[in-house]
Amino acid sequence: MHKASCVLRSSLYIFNRTNVIFEKIFSMKKIISIALLIIVSLAVFSCRKRTITLPINGTSPEITFTVPTVPIPGDFAMQEVSLPNMLDSVVTSSGIPMDNFQSITLNSADMVIDTPATANFDPFDEMSIWLRTTSSDSTKVFDATNIPHTGLRTITSQGNGTNFLPYAKSPQLMVKARVVTSSPIPQAMTIKLKIHFTVTAQKII
């Protein structure tokens, strides 16, 4: 009887130890599986490409207008000129193709009298900049009003919120200036125009 009891206790002890060992093995496998899952998830997440939206500032090439001699004050438009490509430098510097551009905001325009050295904006009351494509009417994008008659040779106009992107995609873009004068323009002058803009673009990283 005593011998049978010993055998039974030994068997129970072995059984319990075996269960403990199997439980440890199972727990270890579970921990390893969870760790592998975390590693795989991190690897997948790190390899997944993300799209971010970022602003890119740019400035157009100089555009030159010729203002003729105007003996009588009034409202007149200068001859249209072709607008040079404004976006090549942005595409080159950012590495983002134009197809990823979402909008182009025209922020401001600088207008500087280039020649003659004695000329200034005193005859001008207003000066506006207009854009058009071969398939659209002219749209006003800058409007400098109440120009002070204080001998200025440079004026800056803020943009009106026009999205330039539809124009930028046109194969040909024309720009013109309209002015309102309050006194004669005694001699012809040239005016240089530069446009400052911001591109909102998507970039994949």
Side-chain angles (χ1 to χ4, degrees):
M1 185 70 179
H2 177 72
K3 186 176 181 180
S5 177
C6 287
V7 171
L8 180 59
R9 282 198 301 270
S10 298
S11 298
L12 288 173
Y13 175 78
I14 294 171
F15 178 78
N16 289 334
R17 292 298 297 168
T18 303
N19 271 348
V20 170
I21 292 171
F22 276 116
E23 285 177 1
K24 287 183 177 180
I25 293 172
F26 179 77
S27 297
M28 186 61 67
K29 285 184 176 180
K30 189 174 181 181
I31 292 171
I32 293 172
S33 298
I34 293 172
L36 288 174
L37 182 61
I38 292 172
I39 291 171
V40 171
S41 299
L42 289 173
V44 170
F45 181 77
S46 63
C47 293
R48 185 181 299 167
K49 292 183 177 180
R50 295 185 297 132
T51 300
I52 61 172
T53 301
L54 70 163
I56 307 168
N57 294 322
T59 300
S60 73
E62 278 189 339
I63 305 156
T64 301
F65 293 106
T66 299
V67 183
T69 300
V70 180
I72 301 173
D75 180 347
F76 66 94
M78 301 178 204
Q79 185 175 2
E80 280 188 328
V81 296
S82 178
L83 182 65
N85 190 302
M86 294 167 48
L87 302 176
D88 283 349
S89 60
V90 175
V91 172
T92 301
S93 62
S94 67
I96 301 175
M98 191 171 163
D99 289 342
N100 287 15
F101 291 0
Q102 294 180 307
S103 65
I104 303 172
T105 302
L106 302 181
N107 299 321
S108 63
D110 297 330
M111 291 157 272
V112 181
I113 295 177
D114 187 41
T115 59
T118 55
N120 56 49
F121 280 106
D122 282 1
F124 295 71
D125 286 343
E126 300 178 13
M127 183 171 179
S128 55
I129 304 299
W130 300 69
L131 296 177
R132 75 170 181 88
T133 66
T134 52
S135 60
S136 71
D137 295 331
S138 294
T139 300
K140 185 192 295 186
V141 292
F142 296 105
D143 195 9
T145 59
N146 300 317
I147 298 173
H149 300 166
T150 55
L152 296 177
R153 288 179 57 83
T154 300
I155 57 175
T156 298
S157 175
Q158 301 303 310
N160 60 10
T162 300
N163 180 10
F164 182 68
L165 185 58
Y167 296 92
K169 292 182 176 180
S170 172
Q172 185 176 15
L173 187 62
M174 304 300 292
V175 57
K176 68 179 178 181
R178 294 190 66 89
V179 299
V180 177
T181 60
S182 56
S183 61
I185 299 176
Q187 54 185 329
M189 64 178 74
T190 57
I191 296 177
K192 301 285 189 181
L193 169 70
K194 272 192 175 183
I195 296 173
H196 306 285
F197 59 92
T198 300
V199 174
T200 302
Q202 288 188 331
K203 185 175 184 178
I204 299 174
I205 60 173

